[in-house]
Amino acid sequence: MKSMQVIEQEIVEDFNLFEGWEEKYQYIIELGQKLPALDARYKTDAYKIKGCQSSVWLHGEEKEGRLYFSADSDSTFVKGEIALLMQVLSGQLAEDILNSRLDFIDAIGLRQHIAVTRANGLASMIKQMKTYALAAANIQK
Amino acid sequence: MAEFNVNEIRKDFPILSVKAYGKPLVYFDNAATSQKPQPVIDSLVDYYTNYNANIHRGVHFLSQKASSAFDEVREKARAFIHAASEREIIFVRGTTEAINLVASTYGRKHLEKGDEILISAMEHHSNIIPWQMLCGEKGAVLKVIPMNDRGELMLDKVEALLSEKTKLVSLVHVSNSLGTINPVKEVIALAHAKGIPVLVDGAQSTAHGEVDVQDLDADFFAFSAHKILGPTGVGCLYGKLHLLEDMPPYQGGGEMIQTVSFDRTTYNEVPYKFEAGTPNIADVIALGAAFDYWSRLDRKAAGAWEQELLTRATTLVSGIPGVRLIGTAAQKAGVLSFVIEGVNALDAGMYLDTKGIAVRTGHHCTEPVMLRFGIPGTLRASFMFYNTMDEVDLLAENLRNAIRFLQPQAAL
Ligand SMILES: Cc1ncc(COP(=O)(O)O)c(C=O)c1O
């Protein structure tokens, strides 16, 4: 497992290759289209994240101190954002997820393109991933 | 009739030559806010540069100049909506505040437990929530005029919904999410036959055609400067004089009083009674510049041009496979709302944004409308007279591309 810093750095380098917003958008859509499907039993209100303009369902599972996420959204762009978050966070130790700062989101210039309500949606997704991590970390103690 | 020269008109709006991501900006979010012509922008700079002062209380040169510039706008607002007297114009922050003002003065005074307020199924949240709050406080009931599948008001249901308990009807003139032009004159006549006053939400209608509040016989009429080429932060409430005179004040403070002692305050006369505190002087003056712009414009030709834009956009967009229009009323203005089968509205809206095309996605502050149509939201393109046919074509072409790009498997 690569460290989060390394993965974030790789994402930032990928994004540096893009000329502008149009290419970044297309890349994120493609990531969204490739996001593995979420198991239907998690596509319920219990797994739905509040605070997103689009519907987002997120499931996290702990295995040997590491967390593995799966998710879905009605928006392909949001799925792409989730895919980026999962590249960084999925498979990491609960402690590391809790302490992550996710500076890459600003570094790839994503935040400026999403309206305030949607940025809050992104924040809600991150918060929910950290909530899973917190639960897992507490179990270990 | 003279041809409407849109290319000449566009020169009045500097922002229309802005580039978005290096591409020419196509601005189709006019229902959210309109762009501003140069004279409106200039008037703000002119005010702050040359005669900024507080008004009505100063004896000095600047204050007199600012006061008369401010006062002139009330007459221009009167003329804009054809009110009988400029005393019937109250300056507020916008449509939202205008409605809240009526709810908390007229509404508080006249509403009692068990009374009813009647609105429609296509109201903006700002014409729902003030009444819900008032009804909650008074134990009154909010009733709703339904609409049909085309997004048209069901006029035949209105009469039965008007009861002796109805204290006010509050109705949107043109729907911001569907584009429907409502038959407000007919609804007002039905309400008046039972002695019930009517508030008209004119936030959208004022941008798309000439409004005559006396011809409509509206009792209250609300609109926002920013939707009609003016600045943000100001708008007008029109009210018939006898209603305004009978209403208690809105907020307390300076300007709205005649005499004050600790025992007792007597209030200023209408409209000042409703304008506590230092008003938004700069923006009111800039609104005056917007009124001037409208009076120089050939409004008939501008309105006809807008209808042509809407017609062309409707034809082109509804011809795209998978597109379903939301809001297909016989009488429409300015707005094309739609959903795309299998394509998320937000994704498509962002696609258009990457091409420099500004539209809006979501519920447009009309969640009950989305619920009625069983959808989470729409894509909305909204037009103003400064838009061009080329821009409409660009929208349709890029929508096709967006669908091709976003519907991967289905397209293969
Ligand atoms: C129909 C309608 N009513 C009310 C409003 C609220 O106007 P404002 O936000 O300027 O107060 C709007 C603005 O979106 C509108 O479209």
Side-chain angles (χ1 to χ4, degrees):
Chain A
M1 192 71 221
K2 287 183 202 163
S3 79
M4 280 194 294
Q5 284 73 14
V6 172
I7 303 170
E8 287 194 49
Q9 192 51 42
E10 285 172 0
I11 293 175
V12 172
E13 279 163 18
D14 282 348
F15 271 78
N16 281 342
L17 297 176
F18 298 133
E19 287 232 330
W21 167 224
E22 189 169 352
E23 289 186 359
K24 290 180 193 173
Y25 165 87
Q26 290 177 358
Y27 180 68
I28 292 170
I29 290 287
E30 280 158 18
L31 287 179
Q33 288 169 340
K34 284 188 282 197
L35 188 73
L38 177 69
D39 194 322
R41 74 196 137 122
Y42 302 126
K43 228 175 144 173
T44 63
D45 276 355
Y47 292 91
K48 205 163 166 172
I49 300 180
K50 292 179 190 73
C52 295
Q53 187 186 308
S54 321
S55 301
V56 174
W57 298 266
L58 178 73
H59 177 247
E61 199 174 329
E62 189 254 351
K63 270 184 225 147
E64 294 162 6
R66 292 178 187 273
L67 272 156
Y68 298 86
F69 296 106
S70 52
D72 197 6
S73 170
D74 52 357
S75 157
T76 312
F77 188 87
V78 172
K79 279 168 75 170
E81 290 178 328
I82 297 170
L84 283 171
L85 284 175
M86 279 170 47
Q87 278 179 27
V88 176
L89 296 179
S90 206
Q92 301 292 348
L93 293 167
E95 289 285 345
D96 292 344
I97 293 173
L98 275 175
N99 295 326
S100 64
R101 292 178 27 177
L102 303 172
D103 292 329
F104 81 101
I105 296 171
D106 283 319
I108 63 178
L110 199 51
R111 216 181 288 272
Q112 76 203 67
H113 288 294
I114 36 190
V116 177
T117 51
R118 297 246 312 99
N120 287 342
L122 193 63
S124 308
M125 275 192 273
I126 295 167
K127 195 169 155 210
Q128 193 60 30
M129 287 177 163
K130 290 197 172 188
T131 305
Y132 275 111
L134 185 63
N138 283 341
I139 289 167
Q140 284 162 37
K141 278 178 190 158
Chain B
M1 196 179 77
E3 270 288 291
F4 186 70
N5 191 339
V6 68
N7 292 323
E8 270 313 299
I9 291 280
R10 287 175 72 82
K11 292 181 188 157
D12 297 336
F13 295 81
I15 211 168
L16 298 179
S17 36
V18 159
K19 297 263 187 295
Y21 319 116
K23 303 174 178 93
L25 171 74
V26 175
Y27 187 74
F28 283 149
D29 197 16
N30 293 289
T33 200
S34 70
Q35 296 303 346
K36 322 303 172 199
Q38 193 67 53
V40 169
I41 301 166
D42 288 346
S43 77
L44 285 168
V45 176
D46 183 39
Y47 167 73
Y48 283 121
T49 311
N50 295 313
Y51 61 102
N52 169 53
N54 208 334
I55 55 169
H56 295 160
R57 290 179 285 252
V59 290
H60 56 81
F61 173 78
L62 289 183
S63 178
Q64 283 163 20
K65 187 160 181 204
S67 299
S68 60
F70 180 91
D71 290 340
E72 278 170 17
V73 183
R74 214 182 291 277
E75 164 54 26
K76 291 176 185 175
R78 183 209 64 74
F80 184 71
I81 56 168
H82 301 277
S85 157
E86 64 174 73
R87 293 183 59 209
E88 297 176 318
I89 304 292
I90 300 162
F91 291 122
V92 289
R93 274 197 303 131
T95 307
T96 303
E97 187 175 42
I99 296 170
N100 277 280
L101 191 159
V102 176
S104 58
T105 58
Y106 187 89
R108 278 232 180 86
K109 177 165 178 176
H110 293 285
L111 217 65
E112 282 166 19
K113 195 170 158 63
D115 282 345
E116 294 166 5
I117 301 269
L118 184 60
I119 61 171
S120 87
M122 63 182 95
E123 300 306 326
H124 189 278
H125 293 167
S126 64
N127 198 24
I128 302 174
I129 300 162
W131 307 119
Q132 269 175 349
M133 290 163 65
L134 179 65
C135 287
E137 183 185 318
K138 295 284 189 175
V141 185
L142 193 60
K143 297 247 165 159
V144 181
I145 309 167
M147 61 179 163
N148 64 24
D149 290 340
R150 292 187 300 277
E152 292 167 320
L153 206 67
M154 295 166 90
L155 197 57
D156 55 339
K157 306 272 193 219
V158 173
E159 189 138 33
L161 283 164
L162 294 165
S163 76
E164 65 272 26
K165 300 213 156 140
T166 313
K167 286 292 148 70
L168 186 80
V169 179
S170 194
L171 180 63
V172 68
H173 198 175
V174 170
S175 156
N176 66 304
S177 52
L178 301 166
T180 310
I181 304 174
N182 280 318
V184 289
K185 194 172 174 179
E186 285 80 350
V187 175
I188 289 169
L190 289 171
H192 284 180
K194 297 189 176 176
I196 303 162
V198 180
L199 184 156
V200 176
D201 170 352
Q204 296 294 333
S205 62
T206 35
H208 298 297
E210 194 128 13
V211 169
D212 185 329
V213 290
Q214 292 188 80
D215 177 56
L216 294 175
D217 204 14
D219 301 279
F220 298 104
F221 187 90
F223 64 99
S224 301
H226 72 96
K227 309 242 190 212
I228 55 161
L229 317 179
T232 51
V234 63
C236 299
L237 170 67
Y238 159 85
K240 284 182 181 165
L241 198 58
H242 71 96
L243 291 172
L244 295 180
E245 279 179 333
D246 180 52
M247 275 152 56
Y250 176 44
Q251 295 172 328
E255 196 85 356
M256 53 80 72
I257 48 89
Q258 209 142 44
T259 60
V260 179
S261 71
F262 286 118
D263 298 329
R264 183 183 140 71
T265 291
T266 54
Y267 300 121
N268 205 337
E269 56 185 32
V270 172
Y272 309 109
K273 181 167 86 175
F274 300 105
E275 294 179 355
T278 300
N280 187 347
I281 305 165
D283 292 315
V284 165
I285 290 171
L287 171 60
F291 288 140
D292 291 344
Y293 188 90
W294 284 108
S295 57
R296 287 193 304 270
L297 186 75
D298 181 346
R299 294 193 66 179
K300 266 219 171 69
W305 178 250
E306 266 178 21
Q307 280 298 325
E308 281 180 48
L309 290 166
L310 180 60
T311 304
R312 183 169 180 87
T314 304
T315 307
L316 291 181
V317 171
S318 65
I320 299 173
V323 167
R324 176 162 66 102
L325 300 187
I326 303 296
T328 49
Q331 301 292 319
K332 276 186 69 172
V335 168
L336 188 68
S337 239
F338 54 95
V339 292
I340 309 166
E341 183 70 41
V343 173
N344 180 271
L346 179 70
D347 294 344
M350 288 178 100
Y351 180 95
L352 295 175
D353 174 53
T354 68
K355 307 294 181 185
I357 303 171
V359 296
R360 187 157 289 252
T361 66
H363 54 60
H364 319 296
C365 291
T366 58
E367 282 193 46
V369 172
M370 303 302 134
L371 216 58
R372 166 70 177 72
F373 285 96
I375 50 176
T378 71
L379 266 154
R380 181 188 73 184
S382 52
F383 309 102
M384 201 71 174
F385 57 78
Y386 47 63
N387 288 125
T388 69
M389 291 297 169
D390 287 348
E391 290 179 319
V392 169
D393 292 356
L394 217 55
L395 170 71
E397 182 191 323
N398 279 290
L399 261 177
R400 282 181 190 274
N401 294 340
I403 294 170
R404 206 169 298 132
F405 179 66
L406 290 165
Q407 264 181 346
Q409 292 83 9
L412 294 177

